[in-house]
Amino acid sequence: RKALRLKYEEAAVQLQCIIRARQAAITVYRKTASYKRAREDQAATSIQRAERARRAYRELTFRQVAAQEMNQRLSQASITLQRKIRGDQGRDIALKTRAQRQDFEKRYEGIRIWAATSIAAGFRGFMGRHAASLKLEAKRGKWKEMFDEDAHRTFFYNQVTGEIRW
């Protein structure tokens, strides 16, 4: 009986060893599988992160290119608008300058006509005075002022005709 009991105990210990070994193997397998799954999850996460980074970089590059194109279009539109405004301003200045020049020319023509009229009037006045002076001289040359001592008065004597006037 003792031998049988020893055999049973030995068989029980072996069974316990086998069961513990299998449990340990299962635990190791589970831990290994868990470790593998964790590494696979980590690798998948890393791949996903890298893919998201590539997508984000591509999106950023696309947006930067789009922003540069928009800035170029806005800059070109700004230049075009500035040219249009400067052209309008230049045309306005040209119209004002032309109007001022025409106004100046009208005033200048008026002044020129006034000056010519004034000069002509002055010359006609001078010629009239000169002609009157010549006539007066001619008249004076004919008439001589004299004094009558008997009548105590002045009289005029025409040297050409001999006429006397009081």
Side-chain angles (χ1 to χ4, degrees):
R1 273 181 135 188
K2 213 175 178 183
L4 191 61
R5 200 181 224 190
L6 266 168
K7 256 184 172 189
Y8 282 140
E9 279 182 18
E10 206 174 285
V13 169
Q14 271 187 339
L15 277 176
Q16 286 175 350
C17 275
I18 291 171
I19 290 172
R20 283 187 192 130
R22 287 212 176 173
Q23 285 177 344
I26 290 171
T27 305
V28 167
Y29 176 77
R30 283 182 183 161
K31 285 186 179 183
T32 304
S34 173
Y35 178 72
K36 280 182 182 178
R37 237 179 289 126
R39 284 188 57 168
E40 286 173 356
D41 287 348
Q42 197 175 28
T45 304
S46 178
I47 290 169
Q48 289 171 349
R49 188 178 326 121
E51 183 59 28
R52 278 192 230 107
R54 277 192 290 274
R55 284 183 190 164
Y57 180 75
R58 272 185 261 147
E59 180 68 22
L60 177 65
T61 303
F62 175 76
R63 288 184 182 189
Q64 285 175 340
V65 168
Q68 286 174 351
E69 289 173 357
M70 178 61 83
N71 285 341
Q72 286 174 347
R73 277 184 269 159
L74 288 174
S75 177
Q76 190 61 39
S78 173
I79 290 168
T80 302
L81 185 61
Q82 287 173 354
R83 283 182 185 157
K84 168 94 174 83
I85 289 172
R86 286 184 187 130
D88 289 346
Q89 288 174 341
R91 281 185 284 283
D92 288 345
I93 290 170
L95 286 173
K96 286 178 186 175
T97 304
R98 194 174 297 132
Q100 288 173 349
R101 192 165 114 234
Q102 288 172 349
D103 184 48
F104 172 77
E105 287 174 357
K106 284 179 186 176
R107 283 188 284 143
Y108 178 74
E109 185 62 25
I111 291 171
R112 208 166 65 79
I113 290 170
W114 170 82
T117 305
S118 296
I119 290 170
F123 183 72
R124 284 192 306 272
F126 170 76
M127 291 306 288
R129 286 188 296 280
H130 183 65
S133 169
L134 288 176
K135 283 182 183 178
L136 187 60
E137 283 295 322
K139 221 178 198 185
R140 278 191 190 154
K142 294 179 191 177
W143 294 92
K144 188 172 183 183
E145 186 177 343
M146 300 185 81
F147 187 75
D148 183 8
E149 295 202 18
D150 292 337
H152 295 294
R153 283 186 6 178
T154 43
F155 65 94
F156 294 95
Y157 172 72
N158 191 331
Q159 295 176 354
V160 176
T161 62
E163 181 183 350
I164 296 176
R165 287 191 188 172
W166 291 93

